Each structure stands twice: as structure tokens, then as C-alpha cells.
Amino acid sequence: MRALITGGRVTISQLTVDDVTIDGDTVGITFGTSPVVLPTPLADLVRELVATRCGKAKIGTPDDVPWLFPGGHPGRPLTDSQIGKRRHRIGVRPKQDRSTALFTLAAEVPAAILARMLGVHIKVAVRWQQASAGDWAAYAADVSQRKRL
């Protein structure tokens, strides 16, 4: 089963061990149809999670259920809210990381492309770009001056 994608968002709670690929030192996770190779610190954590995952259910074993994040009920994954509570307890703040990623992307990609890629209004993408100090005002002129190969 692939992670459930709703409204452009991946529901992490729906990930299964089949979504994780471990090939030597390389660890990847498939979100929807897009595989992602994980960087070393995260790859090590995911490798450990696959090997030691356990839920709170008294019936069955982790081998009996496919979920990467098994829940308290046999055969069910953790809920998104439970995963969020666990992330918060260990200090993971996805909103901060998301903002950092968006501002980094906005500094590197023209607003029109950013808006189309992320499905946001062009005015929102322009504001992100301005806040991240990205200057793409001359992008079209720069592209038109490039030598053709």
C-alpha cells in the first residue's frame, strides 16, 4: 500500500514497510509514486524503525501488520494526531522545517514556477520570494540572453 495522498498531502500514518526500500547503505521511502532516498541520519532512524516497530496492541506481532507506524488497535496504523504528538514530544517541529524549505525554494525558483509547482497563488509565491530575498525580476531577460547549444 502506498501512502495515502489527499489534497496534495501524504498521510504518513498510512505508510507500510513495503513503502521502505533498504538496499545496502541506501534507504528510501516511496510517497505515493515518488521514491525518495533518505539522507544518512534519517536513513538510520528509518532502518531502525523497520526492524523494531511495535504498536500497543496486545494481539499479534509487528510481523503480522504492514504498518510502518503500528497503532494501538490490531491491524491499524497510528493516527496522524498520535504521530504529531510523538513528533512534538521529541522536538520535531514540521511547520518550522516546512517554512525553511519553502523560503529556500523561493530564493532559488522563480515565483511563477513556484506557484505552479506548489499549487499556490502567484501573489503568495511572490511574497515568499520577497521574504527570502530571492530576486527573479530579471530571470526572463537572463534566460533570453543565454547561448543556445
Side-chain angles (χ1 to χ4, degrees), residues 1-6 8-21 27-39 42-43 46 49 68-69 80 83 87:
M1 171 184 270
R2 296 283 166 236
L4 180 65
I5 300 177
T6 55
R9 294 184 357 226
V10 176
T11 302
I12 300 300
S13 65
Q14 301 296 311
L15 286 170
T16 68
V17 290
D18 292 335
D19 293 318
V20 178
T21 306
V27 178
I29 295 184
T30 300
F31 297 99
T33 58
S34 302
V36 176
V37 175
L38 303 176
L42 182 56
V46 171
L49 174 64
L68 189 57
F69 302 103
D80 292 334
I83 290 176
R87 276 193 329 246

Short mmCIF file of all heavy atoms in Angstrom, two decimals, residues 1-6 8-21 27-39 42-43 46 49 68-69 80 83 87:
data_model
loop_
_atom_site.label_atom_id
_atom_site.label_comp_id
_atom_site.label_asym_id
_atom_site.label_seq_id
_atom_site.Cartn_x
_atom_site.Cartn_y
_atom_site.Cartn_z
N MET A 1 0.85 -1.18 0.00
CA MET A 1 0.00 0.00 0.00
C MET A 1 0.89 1.24 0.00
O MET A 1 1.86 1.32 0.73
CB MET A 1 -0.88 0.00 1.24
CG MET A 1 -1.64 1.30 1.41
SD MET A 1 -2.57 1.36 2.92
CE MET A 1 -4.08 0.70 2.33
N ARG A 2 0.58 2.18 -0.80
CA ARG A 2 1.32 3.43 -0.83
C ARG A 2 0.70 4.42 0.14
O ARG A 2 -0.47 4.32 0.48
CB ARG A 2 1.29 4.03 -2.25
CG ARG A 2 1.98 3.15 -3.25
CD ARG A 2 3.49 3.32 -3.09
NE ARG A 2 4.17 2.28 -3.80
CZ ARG A 2 5.04 1.46 -3.24
NH1 ARG A 2 5.33 1.55 -1.98
NH2 ARG A 2 5.64 0.54 -3.93
N ALA A 3 1.50 5.38 0.57
CA ALA A 3 0.99 6.40 1.47
C ALA A 3 -0.19 7.11 0.81
O ALA A 3 -0.15 7.39 -0.38
CB ALA A 3 2.08 7.41 1.80
N LEU A 4 -1.23 7.33 1.55
CA LEU A 4 -2.42 7.97 1.04
C LEU A 4 -2.13 9.44 0.75
O LEU A 4 -1.60 10.14 1.60
CB LEU A 4 -3.55 7.85 2.07
CG LEU A 4 -4.88 8.46 1.71
CD1 LEU A 4 -5.49 7.74 0.52
CD2 LEU A 4 -5.82 8.38 2.89
N ILE A 5 -2.47 9.89 -0.45
CA ILE A 5 -2.27 11.28 -0.81
C ILE A 5 -3.64 11.93 -0.92
O ILE A 5 -4.48 11.51 -1.70
CB ILE A 5 -1.50 11.43 -2.13
CG1 ILE A 5 -0.13 10.77 -1.99
CG2 ILE A 5 -1.37 12.88 -2.53
CD1 ILE A 5 0.69 10.80 -3.25
N THR A 6 -3.86 12.95 -0.08
CA THR A 6 -5.13 13.67 -0.10
C THR A 6 -4.85 15.15 -0.22
O THR A 6 -4.09 15.70 0.57
CB THR A 6 -5.93 13.41 1.20
OG1 THR A 6 -5.12 13.74 2.32
CG2 THR A 6 -6.37 11.97 1.30
N GLY A 8 -2.99 16.72 -2.15
CA GLY A 8 -1.58 17.03 -2.36
C GLY A 8 -0.71 16.72 -1.16
O GLY A 8 0.49 16.90 -1.20
N ARG A 9 -1.31 16.22 -0.06
CA ARG A 9 -0.53 15.89 1.14
C ARG A 9 -0.46 14.39 1.31
O ARG A 9 -1.40 13.68 1.04
CB ARG A 9 -1.19 16.52 2.36
CG ARG A 9 -1.15 18.02 2.34
CD ARG A 9 -1.69 18.67 3.58
NE ARG A 9 -2.21 17.76 4.56
CZ ARG A 9 -3.36 17.93 5.19
NH1 ARG A 9 -4.11 18.96 4.92
NH2 ARG A 9 -3.77 17.07 6.09
N VAL A 10 0.66 13.91 1.79
CA VAL A 10 0.83 12.49 2.05
C VAL A 10 0.44 12.22 3.49
O VAL A 10 0.88 12.91 4.40
CB VAL A 10 2.30 12.07 1.82
CG1 VAL A 10 2.51 10.62 2.20
CG2 VAL A 10 2.72 12.33 0.40
N THR A 11 -0.39 11.19 3.72
CA THR A 11 -0.76 10.80 5.06
C THR A 11 0.28 9.79 5.54
O THR A 11 0.27 8.63 5.16
CB THR A 11 -2.18 10.19 5.09
OG1 THR A 11 -3.08 11.16 4.57
CG2 THR A 11 -2.60 9.82 6.49
N ILE A 12 1.19 10.25 6.37
CA ILE A 12 2.32 9.46 6.84
C ILE A 12 1.86 8.21 7.58
O ILE A 12 2.49 7.16 7.50
CB ILE A 12 3.25 10.32 7.74
CG1 ILE A 12 3.78 11.52 6.97
CG2 ILE A 12 4.38 9.49 8.33
CD1 ILE A 12 4.60 11.20 5.75
N SER A 13 0.75 8.31 8.29
CA SER A 13 0.28 7.17 9.08
C SER A 13 -0.04 5.97 8.21
O SER A 13 -0.05 4.84 8.69
CB SER A 13 -0.95 7.56 9.89
OG SER A 13 -2.03 7.87 9.03
N GLN A 14 -0.26 6.17 6.92
CA GLN A 14 -0.62 5.08 6.02
C GLN A 14 0.59 4.39 5.39
O GLN A 14 0.43 3.48 4.58
CB GLN A 14 -1.53 5.61 4.90
CG GLN A 14 -2.82 6.23 5.40
CD GLN A 14 -3.70 5.20 6.09
OE1 GLN A 14 -3.93 4.12 5.56
NE2 GLN A 14 -4.18 5.53 7.27
N LEU A 15 1.80 4.81 5.75
CA LEU A 15 3.00 4.16 5.22
C LEU A 15 3.11 2.73 5.74
O LEU A 15 2.81 2.45 6.90
CB LEU A 15 4.26 4.93 5.62
CG LEU A 15 4.52 6.24 4.91
CD1 LEU A 15 5.66 7.00 5.58
CD2 LEU A 15 4.82 6.02 3.44
N THR A 16 3.55 1.83 4.87
CA THR A 16 3.78 0.45 5.26
C THR A 16 5.26 0.12 5.12
O THR A 16 6.02 0.89 4.51
CB THR A 16 2.96 -0.53 4.39
OG1 THR A 16 3.49 -0.50 3.06
CG2 THR A 16 1.48 -0.18 4.38
N VAL A 17 5.65 -1.05 5.64
CA VAL A 17 7.05 -1.45 5.49
C VAL A 17 7.38 -1.67 4.02
O VAL A 17 8.55 -1.56 3.62
CB VAL A 17 7.38 -2.71 6.33
CG1 VAL A 17 7.36 -2.38 7.80
CG2 VAL A 17 6.45 -3.84 6.01
N ASP A 18 6.38 -1.95 3.19
CA ASP A 18 6.62 -2.11 1.75
C ASP A 18 6.96 -0.79 1.06
O ASP A 18 7.48 -0.79 -0.05
CB ASP A 18 5.40 -2.75 1.06
CG ASP A 18 5.19 -4.19 1.49
OD1 ASP A 18 6.17 -4.84 1.90
OD2 ASP A 18 4.04 -4.67 1.41
N ASP A 19 6.66 0.33 1.72
CA ASP A 19 6.99 1.64 1.17
C ASP A 19 8.46 1.99 1.41
O ASP A 19 8.98 2.95 0.85
CB ASP A 19 6.11 2.73 1.78
CG ASP A 19 4.66 2.58 1.37
OD1 ASP A 19 4.40 2.30 0.19
OD2 ASP A 19 3.78 2.73 2.25
N VAL A 20 9.13 1.22 2.28
CA VAL A 20 10.53 1.44 2.60
C VAL A 20 11.39 0.47 1.80
O VAL A 20 11.12 -0.73 1.77
CB VAL A 20 10.79 1.25 4.11
CG1 VAL A 20 12.27 1.42 4.43
CG2 VAL A 20 9.95 2.21 4.93
N THR A 21 12.42 1.00 1.15
CA THR A 21 13.35 0.18 0.39
C THR A 21 14.72 0.31 1.03
O THR A 21 15.23 1.42 1.18
CB THR A 21 13.44 0.65 -1.08
OG1 THR A 21 12.13 0.69 -1.63
CG2 THR A 21 14.31 -0.26 -1.90
N VAL A 27 18.63 3.86 1.93
CA VAL A 27 17.27 3.66 2.43
C VAL A 27 16.38 4.68 1.73
O VAL A 27 16.70 5.86 1.65
CB VAL A 27 17.18 3.86 3.96
CG1 VAL A 27 15.75 3.69 4.45
CG2 VAL A 27 18.10 2.88 4.67
N GLY A 28 15.27 4.21 1.20
CA GLY A 28 14.33 5.09 0.52
C GLY A 28 12.91 4.84 0.99
O GLY A 28 12.60 3.78 1.52
N ILE A 29 12.07 5.83 0.82
CA ILE A 29 10.64 5.70 1.11
C ILE A 29 9.89 6.18 -0.12
O ILE A 29 10.24 7.20 -0.72
CB ILE A 29 10.21 6.54 2.33
CG1 ILE A 29 10.88 6.03 3.60
CG2 ILE A 29 8.70 6.50 2.51
CD1 ILE A 29 10.44 6.74 4.86
N THR A 30 8.84 5.44 -0.48
CA THR A 30 8.00 5.84 -1.60
C THR A 30 6.76 6.53 -1.06
O THR A 30 5.99 5.93 -0.30
CB THR A 30 7.62 4.62 -2.45
OG1 THR A 30 8.82 4.03 -2.94
CG2 THR A 30 6.74 5.02 -3.61
N PHE A 31 6.60 7.79 -1.42
CA PHE A 31 5.41 8.57 -1.08
C PHE A 31 4.56 8.64 -2.32
O PHE A 31 4.96 9.24 -3.31
CB PHE A 31 5.80 9.99 -0.63
CG PHE A 31 6.62 10.02 0.63
CD1 PHE A 31 7.99 10.16 0.56
CD2 PHE A 31 6.02 9.89 1.86
CE1 PHE A 31 8.76 10.20 1.70
CE2 PHE A 31 6.77 9.93 3.02
CZ PHE A 31 8.15 10.08 2.94
N GLY A 32 3.39 8.03 -2.30
CA GLY A 32 2.57 7.98 -3.50
C GLY A 32 3.30 7.15 -4.54
O GLY A 32 3.49 5.96 -4.38
N THR A 33 3.76 7.79 -5.60
CA THR A 33 4.51 7.07 -6.63
C THR A 33 5.95 7.57 -6.73
O THR A 33 6.69 7.12 -7.60
CB THR A 33 3.83 7.26 -8.01
OG1 THR A 33 3.77 8.66 -8.30
CG2 THR A 33 2.44 6.65 -8.03
N SER A 34 6.34 8.49 -5.84
CA SER A 34 7.66 9.09 -5.93
C SER A 34 8.59 8.56 -4.85
O SER A 34 8.41 8.87 -3.67
CB SER A 34 7.55 10.61 -5.78
OG SER A 34 6.71 11.13 -6.76
N PRO A 35 9.62 7.77 -5.22
CA PRO A 35 10.57 7.30 -4.22
C PRO A 35 11.53 8.42 -3.82
O PRO A 35 11.91 9.25 -4.65
CB PRO A 35 11.32 6.18 -4.94
CG PRO A 35 11.16 6.46 -6.39
CD PRO A 35 9.87 7.23 -6.55
N VAL A 36 11.89 8.45 -2.55
CA VAL A 36 12.81 9.46 -2.03
C VAL A 36 13.93 8.74 -1.29
O VAL A 36 13.67 7.93 -0.40
CB VAL A 36 12.07 10.41 -1.05
CG1 VAL A 36 13.03 11.40 -0.42
CG2 VAL A 36 10.92 11.12 -1.74
N VAL A 37 15.19 9.02 -1.66
CA VAL A 37 16.34 8.45 -0.94
C VAL A 37 16.59 9.33 0.27
O VAL A 37 16.66 10.56 0.16
CB VAL A 37 17.58 8.39 -1.86
CG1 VAL A 37 18.80 7.92 -1.07
CG2 VAL A 37 17.32 7.48 -3.04
N LEU A 38 16.71 8.71 1.42
CA LEU A 38 16.85 9.44 2.68
C LEU A 38 18.31 9.72 3.00
O LEU A 38 19.17 8.86 2.77
CB LEU A 38 16.22 8.63 3.81
CG LEU A 38 14.75 8.27 3.63
CD1 LEU A 38 14.28 7.39 4.77
CD2 LEU A 38 13.89 9.51 3.50
N PRO A 39 18.60 10.90 3.57
CA PRO A 39 19.97 11.19 3.98
C PRO A 39 20.35 10.32 5.19
O PRO A 39 19.49 9.83 5.91
CB PRO A 39 19.93 12.68 4.35
CG PRO A 39 18.50 12.97 4.63
CD PRO A 39 17.70 12.01 3.81
N LEU A 42 18.60 10.26 8.84
CA LEU A 42 17.21 9.82 8.76
C LEU A 42 17.13 8.38 8.28
O LEU A 42 16.30 7.59 8.76
CB LEU A 42 16.42 10.74 7.83
CG LEU A 42 14.93 10.45 7.67
CD1 LEU A 42 14.23 10.46 9.03
CD2 LEU A 42 14.30 11.46 6.73
N ALA A 43 17.99 8.00 7.36
CA ALA A 43 18.02 6.62 6.86
C ALA A 43 18.27 5.64 8.00
O ALA A 43 17.63 4.59 8.09
CB ALA A 43 19.08 6.47 5.77
N VAL A 46 15.07 5.30 10.08
CA VAL A 46 14.04 4.52 9.39
C VAL A 46 14.42 3.04 9.37
O VAL A 46 13.58 2.16 9.58
CB VAL A 46 13.78 5.06 7.97
CG1 VAL A 46 12.89 4.12 7.17
CG2 VAL A 46 13.15 6.44 8.06
N LEU A 49 13.56 1.79 12.72
CA LEU A 49 12.11 1.72 12.87
C LEU A 49 11.56 0.46 12.23
O LEU A 49 10.73 -0.24 12.82
CB LEU A 49 11.44 2.95 12.26
CG LEU A 49 9.92 2.96 12.23
CD1 LEU A 49 9.35 2.94 13.65
CD2 LEU A 49 9.41 4.16 11.46
N LEU A 68 4.12 0.88 9.00
CA LEU A 68 5.41 1.38 9.46
C LEU A 68 5.25 1.94 10.88
O LEU A 68 6.15 1.84 11.70
CB LEU A 68 5.94 2.45 8.50
CG LEU A 68 7.36 2.93 8.72
CD1 LEU A 68 8.35 1.77 8.67
CD2 LEU A 68 7.72 3.98 7.67
N PHE A 69 4.08 2.52 11.14
CA PHE A 69 3.76 3.05 12.46
C PHE A 69 2.52 2.33 12.99
O PHE A 69 1.41 2.85 12.91
CB PHE A 69 3.49 4.56 12.38
CG PHE A 69 4.64 5.35 11.83
CD1 PHE A 69 4.62 5.82 10.53
CD2 PHE A 69 5.76 5.63 12.61
CE1 PHE A 69 5.69 6.54 10.01
CE2 PHE A 69 6.82 6.35 12.10
CZ PHE A 69 6.79 6.81 10.80
N ASP A 80 -2.84 10.17 12.55
CA ASP A 80 -2.00 11.33 12.26
C ASP A 80 -1.78 12.17 13.51
O ASP A 80 -0.68 12.68 13.74
CB ASP A 80 -2.62 12.18 11.16
CG ASP A 80 -2.61 11.48 9.81
OD1 ASP A 80 -1.74 10.61 9.60
OD2 ASP A 80 -3.47 11.79 8.97
N ILE A 83 0.85 10.54 15.75
CA ILE A 83 2.20 10.74 15.19
C ILE A 83 2.63 12.19 15.47
O ILE A 83 3.77 12.43 15.83
CB ILE A 83 2.23 10.42 13.68
CG1 ILE A 83 2.09 8.90 13.48
CG2 ILE A 83 3.53 10.92 13.04
CD1 ILE A 83 2.01 8.47 12.03
N ARG A 87 5.95 13.39 17.50
CA ARG A 87 6.93 14.31 16.90
C ARG A 87 7.17 15.49 17.83
O ARG A 87 8.31 15.90 18.04
CB ARG A 87 6.41 14.84 15.56
CG ARG A 87 6.64 13.98 14.39
CD ARG A 87 6.37 14.74 13.10
NE ARG A 87 5.35 15.75 13.21
CZ ARG A 87 4.17 15.72 12.59
NH1 ARG A 87 3.88 14.73 11.79
NH2 ARG A 87 3.31 16.68 12.75
#
